[in-house]
Amino acid sequence: MTKRIDPAAAPQFNGTTYPSPYDEPCLARQRTRLGDAAGLTQFGVNLLRLPPGAWSAQRHWHVGEDEFIYVVSGEVVLVTDAGDEVLRPGDCAGFKAGDENGHCLQNRSSADATVLEVGTRTPGGDTAYYPECDMVARSGGYTKRDGTPYPKQERRGG
Amino acid sequence: MTKRIDPAAAPQFNGTTYPSPYDEPCLARQRTRLGDAAGLTQFGVNLLRLPPGAWSAQRHWHVGEDEFIYVVSGEVVLVTDAGDEVLRPGDCAGFKAGDENGHCLQNRSSADATVLEVGTRTPGGDTAYYPECDMVARSGGYTKRDGTPYPKQERRGG
């Protein structure tokens, strides 16, 4: 068996399970789980495709997991407390676990963008905070900031 | 402070500390530590540049750390028990911790190749075995298979 990963055979995770209305900008995102295809468990590696207008996520930060992104093609806007930064192929950024400066990528261009993204996989899952949404991601699902669970949603979009 | 990583300001790790004669094909390799530049600690992300003739490493496998590689430019040959596979931009592969099928990348072309590589960082370091060399990487340095330490070597090449 060859070691080269066949993206067509890799698990695909498209769209989102965010509760409404936070799902809207993320419905069109598409992720190919390359690391999973190779049986990796310690970190995830996805090829993220963002059509025009799509976002990688709502702005968020992880309590326990490092993240890293590398732009492969197209152009995305990285949104953080540092303001908007346009990232082009070869540009990259990292987001340290516990750093409360939330981030997301937005495709404001008229062409697709693809981004390689890496994130630690914590056994049992991690917590993520969304500074611009009344939403927290916990291992059991999404809740409001006060802990009230959102109804579980099917994955949709993509 | 912007979040985009400036590769020129990222730590550079060139060449190798392998004992001779295993160092020879790896002297020209160059690594820019992008993950370190962003303060990440849970995994490393390097941009590896391989001039013609250079290898990423001697064939090896890690006991405790997952690895992943993604070709950004140029062409490399992935060497594993599966045989030689030519990888081109956009091709990728993963190497699960504990899988004894050792791997390395060799640039047999006449142009530079660049590869994004990701690997878990285990606190205290990891052990790596080199099936084609009388060499084992341990947290304390390189030894022969029988445990005899090699003399510590300066980093050289690059």
Side-chain angles (χ1 to χ4, degrees):
Chain A
M1 199 180 93
T2 58
K3 292 292 287 182
R4 190 182 73 82
I5 295 168
D6 177 3
Q12 200 74 21
F13 270 68
N14 298 337
T16 181
T17 60
Y18 284 162
S20 178
Y22 306 124
D23 55 348
E24 198 283 328
C26 298
L27 288 167
R29 66 186 183 182
Q30 301 186 334
R31 288 188 162 94
T32 304
R33 296 200 163 182
L34 301 171
D36 286 357
L40 305 189
T41 58
Q42 298 173 353
F43 52 82
V45 183
N46 302 321
L47 190 66
L48 168 67
R49 193 173 80 82
L50 292 179
W55 297 7
S56 64
Q58 292 282 354
R59 272 190 72 184
H60 69 284
W61 59 275
H62 284 275
V63 171
E65 295 178 343
D66 284 355
E67 280 189 275
F68 182 90
I69 61 98
Y70 183 95
V71 179
V72 172
S73 71
E75 185 180 297
V76 293
V77 177
L78 169 61
V79 181
T80 69
D81 290 343
D84 293 352
E85 295 175 71
V86 176
L87 302 186
R88 299 188 174 86
D91 286 341
C92 59
F95 312 102
K96 182 144 190 50
D99 178 352
E100 300 185 12
N101 182 0
H103 67 275
C104 76
L105 302 175
Q106 302 179 355
N107 184 352
R108 299 180 190 165
S109 81
S110 57
D112 281 6
T114 56
V115 176
L116 204 66
E117 51 181 21
V118 182
T120 312
R121 289 264 173 85
T122 310
D126 192 24
T127 299
Y129 290 98
Y130 297 80
E132 296 176 354
C133 307
D134 185 9
M135 180 167 78
V136 180
R138 306 179 196 270
S139 55
Y142 295 102
T143 72
K144 298 190 175 189
R145 285 186 187 143
D146 69 7
T148 309
Y150 281 107
K152 282 252 189 221
Q153 303 250 19
E154 292 294 303
R155 180 166 292 275
R156 57 210 181 280
Chain B
M1 201 179 94
T2 59
K3 292 291 287 180
R4 190 182 72 81
I5 295 168
D6 177 4
Q12 200 74 22
F13 269 67
N14 299 337
T16 182
T17 59
Y18 284 162
S20 178
Y22 307 124
D23 55 347
E24 197 284 326
C26 299
L27 288 168
R29 67 186 183 181
Q30 302 185 333
R31 288 188 161 95
T32 304
R33 295 200 164 182
L34 300 171
D36 286 357
L40 305 188
T41 58
Q42 298 173 354
F43 52 81
V45 184
N46 302 322
L47 190 67
L48 168 68
R49 193 173 79 82
L50 292 178
W55 297 7
S56 64
Q58 292 282 354
R59 272 191 73 183
H60 69 286
W61 59 275
H62 285 274
V63 172
E65 294 178 344
D66 284 356
E67 280 189 276
F68 182 90
I69 61 98
Y70 183 95
V71 179
V72 172
S73 72
E75 186 179 297
V76 293
V77 177
L78 169 60
V79 181
T80 69
D81 290 342
D84 294 352
E85 294 175 71
V86 176
L87 301 186
R88 300 188 174 86
D91 286 341
C92 59
F95 312 103
K96 180 144 191 51
D99 178 352
E100 300 185 12
N101 181 0
H103 66 276
C104 76
L105 302 174
Q106 302 179 354
N107 184 352
R108 299 180 191 165
S109 81
S110 56
D112 281 6
T114 55
V115 176
L116 203 67
E117 51 181 21
V118 182
T120 311
R121 289 265 174 84
T122 310
D126 192 24
T127 299
Y129 290 98
Y130 297 80
E132 295 175 355
C133 307
D134 186 7
M135 180 168 76
V136 180
R138 305 180 196 271
S139 55
Y142 295 103
T143 73
K144 298 190 175 188
R145 284 186 190 145
D146 68 8
T148 311
Y150 282 106
K152 282 252 189 224
Q153 302 250 17
E154 293 293 304
R155 181 167 291 276
R156 57 210 180 279

